[in-house]
Amino acid sequence: MAECQAQNKAKLISETRRRFEVEYLTDKPDKYDPRDVERLQQDDNWVESYLFWRHDAVDETLKMIDESFQWRKEMCVNDLTESSIPRWLLEIGGIYLHGYDKEGNKLLWIRVKYHIKDHKTILDKKKLIAFWLERYAKRESGKPITVMFDLSETGLNSIDMDFVRYIINCFKVYYPKYLSKIVIFDMPWIMNAAFKIVKSWLGPEAVSLLKFTSKNEVQDYVSVEYLPPHMGGTDPFKYTYPPLVDDDFQTPLCENGPIASEDEASSKEDIESDGKETLETVSNEEQTALLKKINLTEAVSKAEENEKIDSKMKGFKKPLSVFKGPLLHISPAEELYFGSTESGEKKALIVLTNVTKNIVAFKVRTTAPEKYRVKPSNSSCDPGASVDIIVSPHGGLTVSAQDRFLIMAAEMEQSPGTGPAELSQFWKEVLRNKVMEHRLRCHIVESSKPTTLTLKDSAFNMSDKTSEDMCLQLNRLLESNKKLEDQLQRCIWFQQLLLSLTVLSLAFVISLFCLLFN
């Protein structure tokens, strides 16, 4: 059955390409960007996304491709870069990618309060939308995206139905199959009529993708860690530019250099760079052959280096908090603590514990792959066993609180092996709903000696900065306590006032009854 569906899909893709070339390219070859035409002939997933949105109707699909390609050439989508967008638009933070919903879909934030209807700037704003969508599509081909329409603090001057329609068209025509849902937060009642029009633009099948939410309901779709405080969340992220917001999870550096990538394109780049960079993932036979070529001096120095690493690992103390997932227990639960060692190097430790009866494959990804070395970053864990993962900044780069780590894990029920080749094949075939994901934030501990969460010395030897931070937090707590006391006093006063009024009212009523009876 599956083979039959695959064959039918292949026939539809082939027919779509053939008819597009005959019916649309023959007369006006300059109508489209040649790069889009070339991609259409080579990228099956791209053709399939158009077919999927038009329910495999080739005629409708061809019209959609024609409209999409004309738009792409008109907007110069393939050439859009940061420099194509006015700097003030990037600085204001009205549109950006950040965070994930509960299904693991990327969030596209649209802060409507920063949008003022202006025909002079509308083209630049449209380019900004196209810039973010194209940037995401090139990195995460085919993965859905969730649009967060934040309407808090929005006035009538921010309502621009033409711009809203453009955004809808981006997902209906230009980037089909990418829309997961549209979460509309805190919509003013005055805009109800406007969004009835939006529903008509989406069509009956896509109306179910609209989710109208308040502070209580928005957490049904996005967890608090990726919601800002005004939505009831705990995400400390604050938009700034430059640099460009970029928190897509990618493969980090391993301890000895770049690891082998999972997709074919990256694998080709790894092969080309073999002469320049050290290989981290090779087969056991290749490792043996390489080791034979290493002279005695290099072997001795390598052994000494490993001993130093092992001695440093003994100095790590296990993180205190634990996230208990269905496949792995992960410690720490929420934040990776980076602290300076005596040599000035910063490191953090992640401990994974397998709580299943089967081998669990895992891999670590990060939003800043060029910053960190992770060892191991792609491996497996035996039933009941634990694995220590060392995370350290690379090349003296600074740890940022905005950096994130993603730990992905999946159960290997019938594993042919746990070598690099087997793991790579396993991750290509594993179903998305079988993968457990857990995210960690970065926390920087600026101390002269390491804390218990990262290094071996006593936690009581804190730096002056740590003491100042604690004092600051204490002062904040005292201020909060004082505010609560003031509020409590006001409540007591109001209660006393109400009680007095009640007594007076009761006395008045009694007096009135007495007068009536007398």
Side-chain angles (χ1 to χ4, degrees):
M1 184 70 178
E3 290 183 6
C4 183
Q5 289 179 347
Q7 289 176 357
N8 290 336
K9 186 65 68 177
K11 287 180 181 177
L12 284 171
I13 291 172
S14 178
E15 182 185 354
T16 302
R17 285 171 173 160
R18 181 186 61 79
R19 286 187 57 185
F20 183 78
E21 187 173 354
V22 172
E23 298 175 22
Y24 289 86
L25 281 179
T26 306
D27 297 335
K28 298 178 180 179
D30 298 332
K31 191 177 181 181
Y32 316 113
D33 188 323
R35 289 168 290 186
D36 292 331
V37 175
E38 183 181 358
R39 182 184 169 191
L40 188 75
Q41 298 298 330
Q42 297 175 355
D43 191 344
D44 289 352
N45 291 330
W46 206 25
V47 183
E48 187 179 350
S49 67
Y50 287 106
L51 284 165
F52 172 83
W53 199 254
R54 292 304 184 193
H55 305 287
D56 293 339
V58 177
D59 288 337
E60 295 299 317
T61 301
L62 290 171
K63 292 177 184 177
M64 187 177 180
I65 292 173
D66 174 55
E67 184 180 348
S68 176
F69 279 21
Q70 288 188 60
W71 170 81
R72 291 178 66 85
K73 184 172 183 179
E74 179 186 346
M75 298 291 288
C76 303
V77 173
N78 289 310
D79 298 313
L80 283 178
T81 62
E82 282 182 64
S83 58
S84 307
I85 313 298
R87 185 182 175 92
W88 69 269
L89 262 182
L90 294 170
E91 289 177 343
I92 200 172
I95 303 165
Y96 57 88
L97 286 168
H98 172 68
Y100 297 82
D101 67 9
K102 287 189 173 181
E103 296 174 350
N105 302 315
K106 195 72 177 176
L107 300 178
L108 174 64
W109 291 88
I110 299 178
R111 306 291 304 279
V112 182
K113 72 175 183 178
Y114 294 123
H115 176 79
I116 304 297
K117 188 173 182 179
D118 181 5
H119 69 278
K120 294 180 181 178
T121 61
I122 189 64
L123 180 60
D124 290 326
K125 290 172 183 175
K126 288 181 177 180
K127 284 185 176 181
L128 181 59
I129 290 284
F131 168 76
W132 280 117
L133 291 177
E134 185 69 10
R135 181 183 176 87
Y136 177 78
K138 286 179 178 177
R139 293 191 175 194
E140 302 288 351
S141 178
K143 291 186 180 180
I145 197 169
T146 294
V147 179
M148 298 292 292
F149 263 104
D150 184 2
L151 293 169
S152 56
E153 303 177 37
T154 300
L156 288 173
N157 59 344
S158 298
I159 299 175
D160 187 348
M161 298 309 294
D162 290 336
F163 189 56
V164 173
R165 186 168 193 170
Y166 170 80
I167 296 170
I168 297 297
N169 274 341
C170 281
F171 289 103
K172 277 189 67 176
V173 181
Y174 313 141
Y175 293 91
K177 206 179 175 182
Y178 273 93
L179 182 61
S180 167
K181 54 187 164 289
I182 298 176
V183 179
I184 300 168
F185 176 76
D186 201 15
M187 186 180 73
W189 65 269
I190 200 169
M191 295 181 70
N192 283 332
F195 271 87
K196 285 181 181 178
I197 300 172
V198 172
K199 289 179 180 180
S200 67
W201 292 339
L202 279 169
E205 295 178 352
V207 166
S208 61
L209 302 179
L210 279 176
K211 311 295 180 183
F212 294 90
T213 64
S214 60
K215 186 181 287 188
N216 295 328
E217 297 158 337
V218 71
Q219 294 178 24
D220 293 340
Y221 306 103
V222 183
S223 59
V224 292
E225 73 170 302
Y226 286 121
L227 287 175
H230 75 273
M231 289 186 176
T234 60
D235 190 358
F237 171 81
K238 291 184 179 179
Y239 181 91
T240 57
Y241 179 85
L244 198 67
V245 176
D246 189 359
D247 60 357
D248 292 312
F249 289 104
Q250 301 172 48
T251 304
L253 294 174
C254 72
E255 189 69 18
N256 299 319
I259 70 166
S261 182
E262 295 162 21
D263 55 12
E264 294 179 3
S266 298
S267 296
K268 289 178 182 178
E269 292 176 4
D270 288 345
I271 292 169
E272 292 172 358
S273 62
D274 281 348
K276 300 179 182 178
E277 299 176 297
T278 308
L279 284 173
E280 192 273 338
T281 307
V282 291
S283 66
N284 291 333
E285 292 180 1
E286 290 172 331
Q287 285 181 342
T288 305
L290 285 170
L291 287 170
K292 287 179 181 178
K293 295 179 182 180
I294 299 175
N295 58 40
L296 183 61
T297 306
E298 290 173 335
V300 171
S301 63
K302 187 70 177 177
E304 290 175 353
E305 184 180 346
N306 289 335
E307 285 179 9
K308 289 179 181 179
I309 292 171
D310 291 338
S311 65
K312 287 183 180 180
M313 271 302 299
K314 291 176 183 177
F316 280 95
K317 289 194 175 183
K318 302 295 183 185
L320 302 178
S321 56
V322 179
F323 166 78
K324 295 183 178 180
L327 305 180
L328 295 175
H329 285 184
I330 301 172
S331 186
E334 295 182 352
E335 292 185 328
L336 271 182
Y337 285 78
F338 288 87
S340 300
T341 63
E342 292 178 358
S343 62
E345 186 180 12
K346 292 184 176 182
K347 287 190 177 182
L349 179 67
I350 304 173
V351 181
L352 307 182
T353 303
N354 186 350
V355 293
T356 71
K357 296 180 180 179
N358 297 310
I359 296 174
V360 172
F362 68 86
K363 59 182 177 180
V364 183
R365 306 190 81 187
T366 178
T367 58
E370 73 287 347
K371 279 189 182 182
Y372 299 97
R373 287 187 173 184
V374 178
K375 185 178 182 180
S377 60
N378 188 3
S379 188
S380 61
C381 185
D382 293 329
S386 294
V387 175
D388 291 345
I389 300 174
I390 308 171
V391 181
S392 56
H394 170 63
L397 295 172
T398 305
V399 176
S400 170
Q402 292 184 6
D403 296 340
R404 301 285 192 273
F405 282 84
L406 172 69
I407 296 170
M408 303 172 68
E411 201 170 2
M412 303 178 75
E413 296 176 356
Q414 296 178 348
S415 171
T418 57
E422 289 82 5
L423 286 172
S424 177
Q425 187 64 28
F426 171 76
W427 284 112
K428 288 179 181 178
E429 297 175 353
V430 68
L431 298 175
R432 183 182 178 89
N433 60 2
K434 298 288 185 182
V435 178
M436 178 193 115
E437 294 186 352
H438 184 66
R439 294 169 176 80
L440 297 171
R441 300 187 296 271
C442 291
H443 184 85
I444 308 159
V445 180
E446 294 294 345
S447 56
S448 57
K449 289 194 175 181
T451 66
T452 54
L453 290 172
T454 51
L455 303 172
K456 63 183 179 182
D457 289 342
S458 171
F460 297 101
N461 297 327
M462 295 182 295
S463 67
D464 291 338
K465 179 160 181 64
T466 306
S467 300
E468 288 175 6
D469 290 342
M470 290 187 69
C471 288
L472 184 61
Q473 291 178 8
L474 182 59
N475 287 334
R476 287 176 180 170
L477 284 172
L478 290 172
E479 288 176 7
S480 299
N481 186 55
K482 189 175 183 305
K483 288 179 181 178
L484 287 172
E485 286 179 355
D486 292 340
Q487 290 176 358
L488 183 61
Q489 290 297 329
R490 289 195 200 99
C491 289
I492 292 171
W493 185 83
F494 275 115
Q495 285 180 345
Q496 290 173 345
L497 179 62
L498 285 171
L499 182 61
S500 301
L501 290 171
T502 303
V503 171
L504 287 171
S505 300
L506 186 61
F508 175 77
V509 170
I510 293 171
S511 301
L512 188 62
F513 270 106
C514 290
L515 287 170
L516 288 172
F517 283 110
N518 289 334

